[in-house]
Amino acid sequence: MLDRPTPNDLRAFWMPFTANRQFKAAPRMLVAANGMHYTTSDGRQVLDGTAGLWCCNAGHARPLITEAIQKQVTELDYAPAFQMGHPKAFELANRLVDLAPEGIDHAFFTNSGSESVETALKIAIAYHRALGNGTRTRLIGRERGYHGVNFGGISVGGIVNNRRHFGAMLAGVDHLPHTHLPENQWSRGQPEHGMHLADDLERMVALHGADTIAAVIVEPVAGSTGVLIPPKGYLQRLRELTRKHGILLIFDEVITGFGRLGSAFAAQHFDVMPDMITCAKGLTNGVIPMGAVLTTADIHDAFMQGPENLIELFHGYTYSGSPIASAAGLATLETYKQDNLFARAHDIAPYWEDAVHSLKGHRHVIDTRNMGLIGAVELEPIAGKPTQRAFNAFLQAYEKGILIRTTGDIIAMSPPLIIEKSHIDQLIGTLAEVLDALE
């Protein structure tokens, strides 16, 4: 437990348990941001190679977003989300549906990616129940998948350290195998091998019965686990099998949504239509917490069969679609549109790909991979010290003026979509220097 805080203490549970830690001369404290750069507490400029935490897709301190929030807080600070509403939530829902793949018609607002996943899982089970298929309660995730930090998300997720500390997970959850195969080393874009891994769903159907399975949830590109790219044909095969067995397919696009692959959503990039899409992060450019679950009309309409006075879905949040978050979301989508950022990400992606793969042959690098404006550099672990080498790279990169992210011994990068070629040169060039000096 943390000691009782005093006014002058620097404390943050997330860091985690920092109450008794001593900060070094150059602490990793960020105090300002603009465009592609953070400013540190010691006055240095650090190039953002991670879009904050996969979320600041339009870069930092965008005027349209800032002004929209300032205006909204003076006009309508809060409106209840139950039995009431406000115009901007409906306007944002319409804008999201316009961006989404054809057939996605409705939005349910949340406050984060974790809440979006939790909401989608509950909707999936409730949908089948509304249709009279109450036996469909089983949820299928994937090994090495990341779906947030709530109990539903860590249950369908497949990263062991996100699960092992919290006891029993949700019952009735199974996992498909991950798609990270040795034969796909050094792949550019989608790897050739692994489509067959989707067929493991047939084994689960044979084991449990299709009439017990509500939904399959996957990230189109698995981000937080270290950037695992779907093999060619894999997502298409998964869609074919889920449709065959009456199972809902949920794409977790908290990371891939809003231009990361050069299109509004990965569903469009891969030309695969899921039944639900979860999103967050880039929805408000990371400025205000907000998420959403996007669904088909069939799912929405299944709940709209009773009298108007009854509650359709016994689920919701105090801050779902809040006025300020909605204003931020609308301004964010307008910023993407005005700056043509999705097309811009698509156009610069080949340069990004070449840069990421130029790190092949540098010290300790055992794999590189990419998709859109996402890149990963996998390092050979230090014997007996997993994660140490990548963490050392993170520290040295920060000292040299670039921000990267590490997961295990994998360096993950996902820069803002406003990145220029000169920024890519600086980011990858500095990382190459770090790797070559790394022990």
Side-chain angles (χ1 to χ4, degrees):
M1 297 294 291
L2 298 179
D3 298 329
R4 185 177 298 277
T6 60
N8 295 323
D9 283 340
L10 283 171
R11 298 171 184 270
F13 190 79
W14 177 250
M15 290 181 65
F17 298 110
T18 57
N20 296 317
R21 293 188 180 182
Q22 298 296 316
F23 286 98
K24 297 181 179 179
R28 296 186 299 279
M29 299 287 283
L30 307 174
V31 298
N34 190 274
M36 281 293 302
H37 293 85
Y38 280 108
T39 302
T40 68
S41 57
D42 53 348
R44 296 184 305 113
Q45 293 291 293
V46 175
L47 180 66
D48 184 2
T50 60
L53 198 60
W54 312 87
C55 53
C56 302
N57 291 2
H60 299 278
R62 298 306 306 262
L64 203 63
I65 304 172
T66 302
E67 291 164 8
I69 293 170
Q70 291 171 336
K71 180 180 178 183
Q72 185 59 49
V73 77
T74 64
E75 181 180 292
L76 177 64
D77 54 355
Y78 178 80
F82 303 115
Q83 290 87 39
M84 304 293 291
H86 62 91
K88 282 190 170 60
F90 288 91
E91 185 182 352
L92 180 58
N94 288 331
R95 290 286 299 274
L96 283 173
V97 167
D98 288 343
L99 279 178
E102 186 176 353
I104 296 290
D105 300 305
H106 295 275
F108 187 108
F109 288 115
T110 70
N111 306 291
S112 68
S114 293
E115 287 186 2
S116 293
V117 167
E118 214 79 2
T119 297
L121 298 178
K122 291 176 73 174
I123 287 175
I125 292 171
Y127 165 76
H128 287 294
R129 189 175 292 270
L131 297 183
N133 301 323
T135 59
R136 286 188 181 266
T137 59
R138 185 171 292 277
L139 302 167
I140 307 295
R142 187 168 58 186
E143 295 169 358
R144 294 190 68 170
Y146 179 76
H147 301 292
V149 296
N150 293 343
F151 268 103
I154 60 176
S155 294
V156 295
I159 300 178
V160 63
N161 283 335
N162 288 354
R163 298 158 53 89
R164 72 192 329 162
H165 300 290
F166 305 107
M169 300 291 104
L170 295 183
V173 174
D174 214 331
H175 294 79
L176 296 165
H178 67 73
T179 61
H180 191 41
L181 302 178
E183 54 265 43
N184 290 326
Q185 188 181 30
W186 312 114
S187 291
R188 286 174 172 256
Q190 285 191 270
E192 295 290 335
H193 308 287
M195 182 179 77
H196 68 281
L197 295 169
D199 290 332
D200 201 60
L201 183 59
E202 292 279 34
R203 180 186 64 81
M204 294 181 183
V205 167
L207 175 64
H208 302 298
D211 62 345
T212 70
I213 302 175
V216 171
I217 182 170
V218 295
E219 301 159 273
V221 175
S224 295
T225 194
V227 184
L228 308 187
I229 312 298
K232 291 178 179 177
Y234 172 87
L235 294 174
Q236 290 81 358
R237 179 61 174 158
L238 201 56
R239 174 70 282 188
E240 177 186 343
L241 292 175
T242 51
R243 187 171 283 126
K244 170 186 173 182
H245 293 293
I247 300 167
L248 296 179
L249 178 61
I250 304 168
F251 274 3
D252 184 340
E253 296 223 37
V254 171
I255 283 176
T256 53
F258 305 104
R260 183 55 53 190
L261 303 186
S263 55
F265 294 96
Q268 292 144 325
H269 179 86
F270 294 113
D271 194 23
V272 178
M273 169 67 175
D275 300 290
M276 283 187 270
I277 293 174
T278 64
C279 60
K281 292 187 183 290
L283 173 55
T284 58
N285 203 45
V287 177
I288 294 285
M290 191 182 209
V293 179
L294 310 180
T295 78
T296 62
D298 285 346
I299 291 175
H300 170 270
D301 293 349
F303 297 101
M304 302 298 161
Q305 303 303 314
E308 187 176 312
N309 61 291
L310 294 184
I311 296 173
E312 299 89 359
L313 178 66
F314 285 82
H315 174 74
Y317 302 99
T318 300
Y319 302 104
S320 290
S322 79
I324 297 172
S326 297
L330 286 166
T332 296
L333 297 188
E334 188 60 29
T335 299
Y336 293 148
K337 180 181 178 181
Q338 287 184 7
D339 290 3
N340 204 21
L341 288 185
F342 300 168
R344 194 176 183 286
H346 175 272
D347 292 343
I348 204 170
Y351 192 87
W352 170 258
E353 177 179 288
D354 288 341
V356 169
H357 287 279
S358 73
L359 295 171
K360 180 180 180 180
H362 284 267
R363 198 173 185 191
H364 308 302
V365 175
I366 61 174
D367 193 19
T368 51
R369 44 192 180 268
N370 71 284
M371 177 63 68
L373 279 185
I374 308 176
V377 182
E378 188 158 356
L379 305 181
E380 183 179 10
I382 298 173
K385 296 181 178 180
T387 78
Q388 184 65 59
R389 176 163 283 144
F391 184 66
N392 291 345
F394 162 77
L395 294 177
Q396 293 178 32
Y398 177 80
E399 293 304 318
K400 286 181 173 289
I402 61 170
L403 182 65
I404 58 176
R405 176 162 171 72
T406 64
T407 173
D409 274 292
I410 299 166
I411 295 169
M413 295 172 288
S414 56
L417 310 185
I418 63 171
I419 194 168
E420 304 279 355
K421 289 181 178 179
S422 60
H423 296 133
I424 295 176
D425 294 343
Q426 178 189 349
L427 179 65
I428 301 301
T430 303
L431 182 55
E433 294 175 7
V434 168
L435 294 172
D436 288 341
L438 205 59
E439 293 299 328

